[in-house]
Amino acid sequence: MSPQTAGVLQLLALIAALALAYRPLGDHMARVYSSEKHYAPEKWIYKAIGANPSAGMRWPAYLRGVLAFSAVSVLFLYALQRLQGSLPGSLGFASIDPDQAFNTAASFVANTNWQSYSGEQAMGHVVQTGGLAVQNFVSAAVGMAVAVALVRGFARSRTGELGNFWADLVRGVFRILLPVSLIGAIILVACGAIQNFAGIHEVGQFTGGTQQWNGGAVASQEVIKELGTNGGGYFNANSAHPFENPNPFSNLFEIFLILVIPFALTRTFGRMVGSLRQGYAILATMAVIWVGFVALMMWTEFAGNGPAFETAGGAMEGKETRFGIGASAIFSVSTTLTSTGAVNSFHSSFTGFGGGIQLLGMQLGEIAPGGVGSGLYGMLIMAIIAVFIAGLMVGRTPEYLGKKIGTREIKLAACYILITPALVLCFTAAAMALPTPADSMTNSGAHGFSEILYAYTSGANNNGSAFAGLNADTQWFNSTIGIAMLLGRFLPMVFVLALAGSLAEQKPVPETAGTLRTDKPLYAGLLVGTIMIITGLTYFPALALGPLAEGLAS
């Protein structure tokens, strides 16, 4: 079987698995967020934090809950890292330096999981399990809660209440993420992923000599890092490490985990707004972009010219030989079109055009299917922009799901789509202009620029993957990427929740013969075009200086 055929068959198997999980998981999440029942363990948590889960919140109160919880999470994770040297189970590792501790705390709370350190050489068991793994759960649940709040904004009328943040947070963790993670961890352990609290020990090498390895609760952390579209890795090699990703089946299963909740949330959206066809339209938009990017990535990685490419069957540099080009291409696209950042190959070693596809996937806003929660609310923002453009073309007041899209709504949507490009481009320009950040580049020319652009694109879009040629463990990069991650995560949430509150206060607009049908293929095509054009106009100059120039020169 040729590598190309194997890649296509894996893609088809993945699509089939996602299709099987789409309906039951989407319906389950709709029931979870629509239920008024509170289970006993959930009540204990509400009592401990002093929250009333039945109290409705308007968008300012909902936002205060999001920001307060996230701020406490940053402080807790920062303190845990700074105290690591005094904690049991530290494996002898010292406390984390202040700038790196800030960067890591911001990264995991912002659902980014950018890592400027080698996990197996820096973090002990307590920080890994009590700090990083916990944030993998709760940061994902925060994103889901914000998405559900926006969906309620469309579904409700003549009220400013968007639900209760604390109830949405707790339910997301206990009723969705924990059960799926438990099953997934068992599957990964059966595949060969490790799950222990072993200390550091020496392992013999095939070529002679020894190497030090430490164990860890890897399978349990691996499943939530993928399921919650968190990214990161217990080990520096990430999902290319056999302790995290033992074989081709576990590799495909991990890609499934990355995609399953973001895709299924479109059915949750359809259920909650009372129209499954609206959910299918959003699903189709996400799927077209994802499949298109996978096809482009496979083509550019298989189509290399020259004796080395022909002998290896394609661009094998930086790819894990256990998985090959096809599986690496699927994983790469899935992780950069979501806010995951986990990798099973070195993104910096992809072809020039392949690196451009990865960058563009993040620059779309990671909405196809996007991060857990963030993908859905990002796509709904784009849906509002597409409706507005359609309204301009026909001279009609734009409407979406029975809600008028007026001046306030468009301003909030515009702020949402502008904040991330502003962070990416401004920080990239500053890093290229100053001498100290430039010293971290191991490559010059177009690829060196791509390394810097990739770092800030990954940080501001809450992805977490990186081009490996950049030394990001410096005070400049730890500080500025940390700031970009926090602003890129929480500023958009301000605009999303304000938009949700504005929509929830409206009364429904009756559908007429002139209403744009947003559940039809024509609208899905308009939405795809809107996404690509907005991103292209925003980022094309930067992409032309980096991956496009590199690809054309190769």
Side-chain angles (χ1 to χ4, degrees):
M1 183 185 298
S2 69
Q4 293 90 334
T5 302
V8 172
L9 290 177
Q10 290 183 72
L11 178 61
L12 293 176
L14 178 61
I15 292 173
L18 291 169
L20 289 174
Y22 176 75
R23 180 172 180 172
L25 181 58
D27 289 347
H28 170 67
M29 290 190 290
R31 289 192 295 270
V32 166
Y33 289 114
S34 301
S35 173
E36 296 182 359
K37 183 177 180 181
H38 307 294
Y39 296 134
E42 297 171 349
K43 292 178 181 179
W44 300 337
I45 295 175
Y46 301 141
K47 185 175 181 180
I49 63 176
N52 178 7
S54 300
M57 291 182 172
R58 299 177 68 85
W59 78 264
Y62 204 100
L63 176 62
R64 286 195 296 271
V66 170
L67 297 180
F69 177 77
S70 300
V72 170
S73 297
V74 169
L75 293 174
F76 171 77
L77 189 51
Y78 177 84
L80 197 64
Q81 293 175 86
R82 296 290 293 137
L83 296 172
Q84 175 176 249
S86 305
L87 296 174
S90 64
L91 301 178
F93 296 139
S95 298
I96 308 301
D97 292 337
D99 58 303
Q100 192 173 78
F102 163 72
N103 180 276
T104 304
S107 175
F108 278 77
V109 173
N111 198 240
T112 309
N113 292 34
W114 170 275
Q115 294 173 295
S116 60
Y117 59 89
S118 298
E120 67 269 38
Q121 298 175 2
M123 301 294 186
H125 294 321
V126 173
V127 175
Q128 287 277 18
T129 56
L132 306 186
V134 168
Q135 288 306 314
N136 282 348
F137 279 96
V138 296
S139 66
V142 168
M144 295 166 69
V146 173
V148 169
L150 179 58
V151 173
R152 292 191 184 116
F154 285 109
R156 296 180 177 181
S157 59
R158 299 175 183 176
T159 176
E161 294 185 355
L162 302 175
N164 186 282
F165 167 70
W166 304 107
D168 292 338
L169 173 71
V170 171
R171 289 175 179 178
V173 171
F174 282 93
R175 302 191 196 183
I176 300 171
L177 297 174
L178 270 175
V180 179
S181 295
L182 178 61
I183 298 170
I186 293 172
I187 293 173
L188 286 180
V189 169
C191 289
I194 66 171
Q195 181 75 11
N196 57 54
F197 289 102
I200 298 175
H201 54 280
E202 291 190 347
V203 179
Q205 297 178 312
F206 290 113
T207 57
T210 60
Q211 186 175 2
Q212 288 189 334
W213 286 107
N214 55 278
V218 175
S220 57
Q221 188 158 329
E222 187 75 13
V223 67
I224 187 56
K225 94 171 188 185
E226 312 292 16
L227 182 68
T229 61
N230 297 283
Y234 211 102
F235 299 98
N236 190 43
N238 211 281
S239 291
H241 198 293
F243 287 0
E244 291 193 23
N245 194 0
N247 53 54
F249 175 81
S250 67
N251 185 69
L252 201 62
F253 179 63
E254 289 185 14
I255 302 173
F256 169 81
L257 290 173
I258 291 171
L259 299 170
V260 65
I261 289 181
F263 273 130
L265 274 172
T266 61
R267 185 173 178 89
T268 304
F269 163 69
R271 280 286 184 202
M272 293 182 70
V273 299
S275 174
L276 291 177
R277 293 174 65 90
Q278 296 289 346
Y280 294 148
I282 299 298
L283 171 66
T285 304
M286 292 177 171
V288 165
I289 296 174
W290 175 67
V291 173
F293 272 53
V294 171
L296 283 173
M297 182 66 83
M298 284 191 179
W299 172 78
T300 189
E301 296 303 302
F302 277 121
N305 296 317
F309 287 95
E310 292 170 4
T311 302
M316 275 300 296
E317 180 188 348
K319 310 295 194 304
E320 170 56 59
T321 55
R322 293 176 299 149
F323 308 137
I325 295 174
S328 296
I330 299 171
F331 201 116
S332 171
V333 169
S334 299
T335 198
T336 50
L337 275 174
T338 63
S339 63
T340 311
V343 296
N344 73 346
S345 55
F346 278 123
H347 287 189
S348 185
S349 295
F350 277 61
T351 62
F353 290 133
I357 293 169
Q358 296 162 353
L359 271 167
L360 184 60
M362 293 185 290
Q363 290 165 351
L364 291 181
E366 295 171 328
I367 54 177
V372 168
S374 61
L376 179 61
Y377 64 66
M379 184 60 80
L380 292 177
I381 295 291
M382 285 296 184
I384 288 173
I385 297 294
V387 166
F388 176 71
I389 292 172
L392 290 178
M393 290 190 291
V394 300
R396 179 182 170 87
T397 302
E399 303 167 8
Y400 186 58
L401 300 179
K403 300 296 177 72
K404 284 188 176 181
I405 308 302
T407 304
R408 174 178 170 81
E409 288 75 24
I410 286 299
K411 286 181 179 178
L412 292 170
C415 289
Y416 176 92
I417 64 175
L418 289 174
I419 184 63
T420 304
L423 291 170
V424 172
L425 298 176
C426 289
F427 276 121
T428 299
M432 292 300 297
L434 298 175
T436 301
D439 291 341
S440 295
M441 296 163 52
T442 55
N443 295 284
S444 59
H447 193 77
F449 174 75
S450 293
E451 291 173 355
I452 300 289
L453 178 63
Y454 195 107
Y456 288 109
T457 299
S458 178
N461 285 282
N462 303 130
N463 183 269
S465 63
F467 269 12
L470 179 70
N471 174 25
D473 188 14
T474 66
Q475 287 190 349
W476 167 269
F477 283 112
N478 280 332
S479 301
T480 57
I481 294 177
I483 293 170
M485 288 186 290
L486 291 175
L487 294 179
R489 174 70 165 177
F490 296 108
L491 276 182
M493 286 184 175
V494 174
F495 303 125
V496 169
L497 291 173
L499 176 62
S502 177
L503 294 171
E505 291 173 351
Q506 293 187 28
K507 61 181 180 180
V509 178
E511 185 175 315
T512 66
T515 302
L516 174 66
R517 294 295 300 273
T518 55
D519 57 355
K520 295 293 184 180
L522 177 63
Y523 175 74
L526 173 64
L527 183 51
V528 171
T530 300
I531 292 166
M532 300 306 296
I533 290 171
I534 288 176
T535 305
L537 292 174
T538 304
Y539 287 105
F540 181 77
L543 292 172
L545 292 173
L548 291 179
E550 182 183 357
L552 292 172
S554 61

